[in-house]
Amino acid sequence: MQTTGVFVLLVLALLIGLLVARLRGGTLEALGRIRIRLGWLAAGIVLALVVAALADSARTVGWIAAAVLAAALTAANRRVPGLLLLFFGLALNAAVIGVNHGRMPVSTAAISSAGVARDDVASSRYYTLADHDTRLRPFSDVIPFPFWVAPSVLSAGDVLIVSGVALFAGLTPVRASRTLRARGAERARRQRRRAAASTDGDGSVDGVDAPEDLDGPPATVRRRRRPAAALPAGRSADASAGTPSAASDPWEPGHQTDP
């Protein structure tokens, strides 16, 4: 029942986070385009937790391995929201389980408040009833969660893990969508700048001639003068005369011109 309650809480945090992100303009498409460095470490974290749940003798090792992999994933993706909380949650749970012989202690008072059956905790392979010999007791399962679907007792590490999932789902799609819109706007500005640079001085654009006056010679259009590029040191003006190079074109992206 304890494990089921944590799983239900994780699913709720994920769904609520995605809903909040959608209301703020985030999309799943933008979320899918996020590049996570060393993303295979996430599969390693899940595998370590599965081993810890199935093998009694490897429970502590599995939690420690999950915390180490989460630390590496967080270090490689420091800007992704939620990963730091996920790491601290896994590390805190691993520490409590490790010092209590591979089981997570559960407060008896919290069991009564949450409505969890005492016998279910006492007979579980993953949990044990907290007593005076329990180590790191404040960080064990002491937070009652009387959810009607799956009542359970949570630890501080569980709260951090759920918060990390909620932050990731609620903030990451919004940031990704804003980044994609900003890149699209930048591409549009570059295209307009290239179109302006391709305009001929006689008024023709893309090979279209300027209109002629029916009663006289073609209208004369004064060619716009571009600002002269600065000369490199050690070269004279005569040596630099001629057609300017592409690198000195002020209309190229990355160069600025006087208004």
Side-chain angles (χ1 to χ4, degrees):
M1 188 65 69
Q2 284 284 98
T3 306
T4 304
V6 175
F7 177 76
V8 170
L9 196 57
L10 285 173
V11 173
L12 288 176
L14 180 63
L15 294 179
I16 294 175
L18 291 177
L19 177 60
V20 172
R22 186 67 185 91
L23 294 176
R24 297 182 59 194
T27 61
L28 292 179
E29 179 184 1
L31 180 62
R33 297 184 63 177
I34 295 175
R35 183 176 59 184
I36 302 294
R37 298 179 181 178
L38 303 180
W40 58 269
L41 291 176
I45 294 173
V46 175
L47 180 61
L49 293 176
V50 171
V51 171
L54 298 179
D56 295 342
S57 59
R59 184 166 297 122
T60 302
V61 175
W63 275 95
I64 293 177
V68 171
L69 294 177
L73 184 64
T74 302
N77 301 274
R78 293 182 294 273
R79 296 184 178 181
V80 178
L83 291 184
L84 186 61
L85 292 179
L86 178 65
F87 157 66
F88 280 118
L90 290 173
L92 197 55
N93 281 348
V96 176
I97 293 174
V99 299
N100 288 281
H101 310 289
R103 294 187 178 185
M104 173 63 77
V106 185
S107 170
T108 54
I111 289 176
S112 301
S113 299
V116 178
R118 182 188 180 98
D119 294 339
D120 292 343
V121 177
S123 60
S124 175
R125 298 186 305 166
Y126 314 112
Y127 302 93
T128 183
L129 295 174
D131 53 22
H132 61 279
D133 292 330
T134 299
R135 299 179 179 179
L136 297 179
R137 186 168 183 172
F139 303 107
S140 62
D141 285 355
V142 295
I143 305 173
F145 183 65
F147 193 53
W148 64 275
V149 175
S152 59
V153 182
L154 306 177
S155 66
D158 295 336
V159 174
L160 291 177
I161 293 173
V162 172
S163 300
V165 172
L167 282 178
F168 177 83
L171 295 181
T172 307
V174 178
R175 294 184 179 182
S177 298
R178 291 175 179 175
T179 301
L180 291 178
R181 287 194 293 266
R183 290 178 179 177
E186 179 64 23
R187 284 194 297 267
R189 285 194 295 269
R190 291 180 180 179
Q191 291 175 358
R192 290 194 297 267
R193 187 175 299 177
R194 293 192 186 101
S198 63
T199 302
D200 295 334
D202 58 357
S204 62
V205 180
D206 296 334
V208 180
D209 295 334
E212 297 182 357
D213 190 354
L214 296 178
D215 297 332
T220 302
V221 180
R222 179 175 298 178
R223 185 182 300 271
R224 182 177 56 182
R225 301 184 61 183
R226 296 181 179 180
L231 296 178
R235 295 182 58 184
S236 62
D238 296 336
S240 61
T243 303
S245 62
S248 62
D249 189 357
W251 291 99
E252 287 293 328
H255 293 76
Q256 297 181 353
T257 59
D258 293 335

